Amino acid sequence: MLIVNANTPEHAHIALRTDGEHIVALAPDLAPEPGEIVFDAAGGAVLPGLHDHHLHLLAYAAAIGSVHCGPPQVDCAQALAGVLAERAADSEGWIRGIGYHESVAGDIDRCWLDRVLPGRPVRIQHRSGQLWIFNSLGLQCLGVDEAGGGDPFERVDGVPTGRLYGADPWVRERLGASMPALGEASRRLARLGITGVTDASPGNGLAEFRHFAAEREAGRLQQSVLMMGSEALDPAWTVPGLSVGATKIHLREAELPPFDVLCERIECSHRAGRPVAVHCVTLVEIMLAVNALQAAGVQAGDRLEHAALACVEAVDLVREAGLHVVTQPNFIFERGDVYLASLPGDALEGLYRAGSFVAAGVAVGAGSDAPYGDPDPWRAIAAALDRRTRAGRVLGAAERLAPDTVLDLYCSDPLRPGGARRRLEAGGVADLCVLDRPLVQLFADAAAVDVQLTVARGRIIHSA
């Protein structure tokens, strides 16, 4: 294929030829060869294919057919009851909701759901991804013993509340649910210019690896995947387009592991040849993660996921430790107005930092956290540039990224998020996307970008 009339970060006017999985030539003027597909970029920018450094593919695929139960689609209890009733009227079986937040109707439980929809099994996921809320019929379908126990549900005075924390594998086993096909999720990502993803689900093991490999083999999963997960993925395996990455460690401030236990887990991962990726949102979690990594010994590829509430001192510690940070600038846009209404001023100053980390010399990559965040990388790039919420208010102006660094969020190597930007060059892998506008216009309104063409390892996976 030949792409003409394009520009890149390195070239104002360029043509680019691919053959098989590789770029074979770049020059201002390349003539079409017989039988060659020619794509006219019409002055649009050509960038390396974007890599989402943190999402959850299986949850994202399942979310596509689920009911949105939180902002901005749903903003009050009446609206939530309405969308659940609407889904019940035109479907059968389980009703699966996603994206719930307390700002809609408070800390809902089985009793609240029973009042709204008693006749159908319902389960609603909190937008954090760490909590499911079931109604009574849903508990019955799971075989939960009201008077007994032996299940992971939260109980008050011995009675299950319908609230279940961090137990997705248990739910999947009880439901007998197969893992979802990934074709539609992959197509949606391709339309955004995404040619690679890092799946950051901590429970990933052999079954998930085999499922991803099968979806790749069948052609449904078109992005390359770096797969985080549990120790069940030791030693790290690789098949074409799919490789095992870091051991994912999920910290929760309400239930932190002993320091020596955390250090030992990090050391075990390193001995197995795998770095670690530590989920840490609060300042306490960040400080514990950094100190444990320093005590255990930092290895190339070790990283912090989210680092959402980092003070200035924490930024310095992360820099000294030599860690990468993968953040979510999209949450400034998506959740910023709720943050402004609910968090104290000192917390707002350190919320989803980017500029401070980059200025300190910390490599910063971006991931959407889909389905718990919007997978659109262009909306996230816009938020990294202007730090504006959905209502247009500025949150953390000092954390804005400059245009010359913002593309590093998504165009860096999967193993080194936020590191050196991948370049389009002869001999390189043909992972790229063509935009509807030149590079100089991209930063003025990044959220409006439309991807015209996405190529993954030389294959067209999206064409407008």
Side-chain angles (χ1 to χ4, degrees):
M1 180 171 62
L2 179 66
I3 299 172
V4 298
N5 297 322
N7 61 92
T8 72
E10 296 79 29
H11 306 280
H13 178 80
I14 200 73
L16 181 152
R17 171 170 285 126
T18 69
D19 187 3
E21 295 189 357
H22 294 89
I23 298 168
V24 294
L26 287 94
D29 296 297
L30 293 174
E33 295 179 350
E36 189 171 48
I37 297 171
V38 178
F39 186 91
D40 188 350
V46 181
L47 297 177
L50 305 192
H51 189 94
D52 187 317
H53 292 285
H54 182 121
L55 53 57
H56 306 273
L57 271 174
L58 295 175
Y60 176 47
I64 290 172
S66 300
V67 182
H68 288 280
C69 296
Q73 295 91 344
V74 172
D75 59 4
C76 66
Q78 183 178 1
L80 176 56
V83 295
L84 292 174
E86 182 179 349
R87 177 57 62 93
D90 61 9
S91 67
E92 298 179 352
W94 277 91
I95 293 176
R96 184 184 193 274
I98 59 169
Y100 182 75
H101 186 259
E102 296 80 13
S103 61
V104 174
D107 290 321
I108 63 173
D109 57 13
R110 67 183 288 192
C111 295
W112 192 94
L113 289 174
D114 286 347
R115 290 194 298 271
V116 171
L117 204 65
R120 294 280 294 280
V122 180
R123 58 178 173 133
I124 294 178
Q125 188 180 47
H126 190 271
R127 76 177 186 187
S128 67
Q130 298 304 307
L131 168 67
W132 284 99
I133 307 114
F134 292 76
N135 68 349
S136 294
L137 189 54
L139 295 181
Q140 292 176 28
C141 292
L142 291 176
V144 173
D145 185 349
E146 293 275 350
D151 58 67
F153 275 90
E154 174 188 81
R155 279 175 156 75
V156 175
D157 298 328
V159 178
T161 64
R163 297 166 67 85
L164 180 65
Y165 291 90
D168 280 14
W170 185 90
V171 172
R172 189 184 301 159
E173 181 180 352
R174 283 300 180 100
L175 290 175
S178 58
M179 297 182 198
L182 300 175
E184 179 58 26
S186 181
R187 284 189 290 273
R188 294 186 181 204
L189 295 173
R191 288 197 291 268
L192 297 169
I194 295 173
T195 60
V197 300
T198 296
D199 190 289
S201 304
N204 282 338
L206 178 58
E208 287 78 10
F209 185 91
R210 286 173 171 163
H211 181 64
F212 284 16
E215 292 292 287
R216 285 275 309 173
E217 180 68 22
R220 289 185 288 268
L221 177 54
Q222 302 177 92
Q223 286 76 19
S224 60
V225 180
L226 179 64
M227 188 178 192
M228 293 182 186
S230 69
E231 288 81 355
L233 291 172
D234 294 342
W237 308 310
T238 299
V239 298
L242 172 63
S243 58
V244 170
T247 301
K248 179 71 178 296
I249 299 175
H250 192 288
L251 296 182
R252 289 180 58 200
E253 187 170 331
E255 195 176 352
L256 293 173
F259 187 75
D260 58 341
V261 172
L262 178 56
C263 291
E264 174 59 23
R265 190 174 181 196
I266 294 170
E267 291 167 359
C268 284
S269 181
H270 289 171
R271 287 195 295 269
R274 296 173 63 192
V276 296
V278 187
H279 170 110
C280 47
V281 173
T282 70
L283 182 57
V284 169
E285 293 165 0
I286 294 169
M287 299 301 275
L288 175 62
V290 174
N291 279 280
L293 280 158
Q294 287 182 313
V298 174
Q299 174 178 296
D302 287 343
R303 50 192 270 186
L304 303 182
E305 307 298 308
H306 310 300
L309 291 165
C311 64
V312 174
E313 292 78 10
V315 172
D316 291 337
L317 285 175
V318 172
R319 173 184 55 78
E320 292 168 6
L323 299 167
H324 293 252
V325 170
V326 174
T327 187
Q328 285 71 41
N330 51 305
F331 286 158
I332 295 298
F333 175 76
E334 296 170 37
R335 306 179 181 180
D337 295 303
V338 172
Y339 293 146
L340 284 166
S342 59
L343 292 177
D346 57 344
L348 291 172
E349 289 179 7
L351 190 63
Y352 288 103
R353 290 184 185 271
S356 294
F357 279 122
V358 171
V362 176
V364 178
S368 63
D369 204 20
Y372 315 114
D374 186 337
D376 186 348
W378 307 106
R379 176 68 267 173
I381 287 171
L385 288 166
D386 63 28
R387 300 285 295 192
R388 291 192 179 276
T389 70
R390 194 180 297 276
R393 294 183 287 180
V394 175
L395 177 50
E399 298 302 323
R400 289 170 172 154
L401 290 179
D404 62 343
T405 63
V406 74
L407 293 179
D408 299 347
L409 294 173
Y410 285 94
C411 293
S412 47
D413 188 281
L415 295 174
R416 295 178 293 278
R421 187 186 312 158
R422 293 164 15 245
R423 295 170 59 95
L424 298 174
E425 54 191 2
V429 175
D431 278 351
L432 57 88
C433 59
V434 182
L435 311 186
D436 66 340
R437 62 198 66 199
L439 198 61
V440 293
Q441 296 179 13
L442 163 63
F443 306 113
D445 188 7
V449 162
D450 189 24
V451 176
Q452 300 299 294
L453 183 75
T454 307
V455 177
R457 302 193 74 85
R459 291 183 58 246
I460 296 174
I461 64 173
H462 162 70
S463 174

